[in-house]
Coordinates of all heavy atoms in Angstrom, one line a residue:
I1 N -0.9 -10.6 -3.3 CA -1.6 -10.6 -1.9 C -3.1 -10.9 -2.1 O -3.8 -10.1 -2.7 CB -1.2 -9.4 -1.2 CG1 0.3 -9.2 -1.1 CG2 -1.9 -9.5 0.0 CD1 0.8 -8.0 -0.5
P2 N -3.6 -12.0 -1.5 CA -5.0 -12.2 -1.6 C -5.9 -11.1 -1.1 O -6.8 -10.8 -1.8 CB -5.4 -13.5 -0.7 CG -3.9 -14.2 -0.8 CD -2.9 -13.0 -0.8
D3 N -5.6 -10.5 0.0 CA -6.4 -9.3 0.6 C -5.6 -8.0 0.5 O -4.9 -7.7 1.4 CB -6.8 -9.6 2.0 CG -7.8 -8.6 2.6 OD1 -8.0 -7.6 1.9 OD2 -8.2 -8.9 3.8
D4 N -5.8 -7.4 -0.7 CA -5.0 -6.1 -1.1 C -5.4 -5.1 -0.2 O -4.7 -4.2 0.3 CB -5.2 -5.9 -2.5 CG -6.5 -5.6 -3.0 OD1 -7.5 -6.2 -2.3 OD2 -6.7 -5.0 -4.0
Q5 N -6.7 -5.0 0.3 CA -7.1 -3.9 1.2 C -6.5 -4.0 2.6 O -6.1 -3.1 3.1 CB -8.7 -4.1 1.3 CG -9.2 -2.9 2.1 CD -10.8 -2.9 2.2 OE1 -11.4 -3.9 1.7 NE2 -11.4 -1.9 2.7
A6 N -6.4 -5.3 3.1 CA -5.8 -5.4 4.3 C -4.2 -5.1 4.2 O -3.6 -4.5 5.2 CB -5.8 -6.9 4.8
A7 N -3.6 -5.5 3.1 CA -2.2 -5.2 2.9 C -2.0 -3.6 3.0 O -1.0 -3.0 3.5 CB -1.7 -5.7 1.6
V8 N -2.8 -2.9 2.2 CA -2.7 -1.3 2.2 C -2.9 -0.8 3.6 O -2.2 0.1 3.9 CB -3.7 -0.8 1.2 CG1 -3.8 0.8 1.2 CG2 -3.3 -1.2 -0.3
G9 N -3.8 -1.4 4.3 CA -4.2 -0.9 5.7 C -2.9 -1.1 6.5 O -2.5 -0.3 7.4
E10 N -2.1 -2.3 6.3 CA -1.0 -2.6 7.1 C 0.2 -1.6 6.7 O 1.0 -1.2 7.5 CB -0.6 -4.0 6.9 CG 0.6 -4.5 7.7 CD 0.3 -4.5 9.3 OE1 -0.9 -4.3 9.7 OE2 1.3 -4.6 10.0
M11 N 0.3 -1.3 5.4 CA 1.3 -0.2 5.0 C 1.0 1.0 5.6 O 1.9 1.7 6.2 CB 1.3 -0.1 3.5 CG 1.6 -1.4 2.8 SD 1.4 -1.1 0.9 CE 1.4 -2.8 0.4
Y12 N -0.3 1.4 5.7 CA -0.6 2.6 6.3 C -0.3 2.7 7.8 O 0.3 3.6 8.4 CB -2.0 3.0 6.1 CG -2.5 4.3 6.6 CD1 -2.4 5.5 5.7 CD2 -3.0 4.6 7.9 CE1 -2.8 6.7 6.2 CE2 -3.3 5.8 8.3 CZ -3.3 6.9 7.5 OH -3.7 8.1 7.9
R13 N -0.6 1.6 8.5 CA -0.3 1.4 9.9 C 1.2 1.5 10.3 O 1.5 2.2 11.2 CB -0.7 0.0 10.4 CG -0.7 -0.2 12.0 CD -1.1 -1.5 12.3 NE 0.0 -2.5 12.1 CZ 1.2 -2.6 12.7 NH1 1.5 -1.8 13.8 NH2 2.1 -3.5 12.3
V14 N 2.0 0.8 9.6 CA 3.5 0.8 9.9 C 4.2 2.2 9.5 O 5.3 2.5 10.0 CB 4.3 -0.4 9.3 CG1 3.6 -1.7 9.7 CG2 4.3 -0.3 7.7
L15 N 3.7 2.9 8.7 CA 4.3 4.2 8.3 C 4.2 5.3 9.4 O 3.0 5.3 10.0 CB 3.7 4.7 7.0 CG 4.4 4.3 5.7 CD1 3.6 4.7 4.5 CD2 5.8 4.6 5.7
R16 N 5.3 6.1 9.6 CA 5.0 7.2 10.6 C 4.3 8.3 9.8 O 4.3 8.4 8.7 CB 6.3 7.5 11.0 CG 7.2 8.3 10.1 CD 8.6 8.6 10.8 NE 9.5 9.0 9.7 CZ 9.7 10.3 9.5 NH1 9.1 11.3 10.1 NH2 10.6 10.7 8.6
P17 N 3.7 9.3 10.6 CA 3.1 10.4 9.9 C 4.2 11.1 9.0 O 5.2 11.4 9.4 CB 2.6 11.3 11.0 CG 2.3 10.3 12.3 CD 3.5 9.3 12.0
G18 N 3.8 11.4 7.8 CA 4.6 12.0 6.9 C 5.5 10.9 6.0 O 6.3 11.3 5.1
G19 N 5.3 9.7 6.5 CA 6.0 8.6 5.8 C 5.5 8.4 4.2 O 4.4 8.8 4.0
R20 N 6.3 7.8 3.5 CA 6.0 7.7 2.0 C 5.8 6.2 1.6 O 6.6 5.4 2.0 CB 7.1 8.3 1.2 CG 6.8 8.5 -0.2 CD 7.9 9.3 -0.9 NE 9.2 8.6 -0.8 CZ 10.2 8.8 -1.6 NH1 10.1 9.8 -2.5 NH2 11.4 8.1 -1.4
L21 N 4.8 6.0 0.7 CA 4.5 4.7 0.2 C 4.9 4.8 -1.4 O 4.4 5.7 -2.0 CB 3.1 4.3 0.2 CG 2.7 2.9 -0.6 CD1 3.4 1.8 -0.1 CD2 1.2 2.8 -0.4
V22 N 5.7 3.9 -1.8 CA 6.1 3.9 -3.3 C 5.5 2.5 -3.7 O 5.9 1.4 -3.2 CB 7.6 4.0 -3.6 CG1 7.8 3.8 -5.0 CG2 8.1 5.2 -3.0
L23 N 4.7 2.5 -4.7 CA 3.9 1.2 -5.1 C 4.0 1.2 -6.7 O 3.8 2.1 -7.4 CB 2.5 1.4 -4.6 CG 1.6 0.3 -5.0 CD1 1.9 -1.0 -4.2 CD2 0.2 0.6 -4.7
L24 N 4.4 0.0 -7.1 CA 4.4 -0.3 -8.5 C 3.7 -1.6 -8.8 O 4.0 -2.7 -8.0 CB 5.9 -0.5 -9.0 CG 5.9 -0.9 -10.5 CD1 6.6 0.2 -11.3 CD2 6.7 -2.2 -10.6
G25 N 2.8 -1.6 -9.7 CA 2.1 -2.9 -9.8 C 1.3 -3.0 -11.2 O 1.2 -2.0 -11.9
H26 N 0.8 -4.3 -11.5 CA -0.1 -4.4 -12.6 C -1.5 -3.8 -12.3 O -2.0 -4.2 -11.1 CB -0.3 -5.8 -12.9 CG 0.9 -6.5 -13.4 ND1 1.5 -7.6 -12.7 CD2 1.8 -6.4 -14.4 CE1 2.6 -8.1 -13.3 NE2 2.8 -7.4 -14.4
V27 N -2.1 -3.1 -13.2 CA -3.4 -2.6 -13.1 C -4.3 -2.8 -14.2 O -3.7 -3.0 -15.3 CB -3.5 -1.1 -12.5 CG1 -2.8 -0.9 -11.2 CG2 -2.8 -0.3 -13.7
A28 N -5.5 -2.7 -14.2 CA -6.4 -2.7 -15.3 C -6.1 -1.5 -16.3 O -6.0 -0.4 -15.8 CB -7.9 -2.7 -15.0
S29 N -5.8 -1.8 -17.5 CA -5.6 -0.7 -18.5 C -6.9 0.1 -18.7 O -8.0 -0.4 -18.6 CB -5.2 -1.5 -19.8 OG -5.0 -0.5 -20.8
P30 N -6.7 1.3 -19.0 CA -7.8 2.1 -19.4 C -8.4 1.9 -20.8 O -9.5 2.3 -21.0 CB -7.3 3.6 -19.3 CG -5.9 3.5 -19.5 CD -5.4 2.1 -19.0

């Protein structure tokens, strides 16, 4: 997704209070 910040904001918006987000993705290795 080009705008990951907007996508996370949308995920937050559609969840009801107490709702859960499960996310799996590639990230920078430590």
Side-chain angles (χ1 to χ4, degrees):
I1 297 171
D3 189 348
D4 55 343
Q5 184 175 6
V8 168
E10 187 65 8
M11 292 174 199
Y12 189 86
R13 186 190 71 78
V14 300
L15 274 173
R16 68 181 173 94
R20 185 171 66 156
L21 169 65
V22 179
L23 182 68
L24 176 115
H26 296 118
V27 295
S29 175

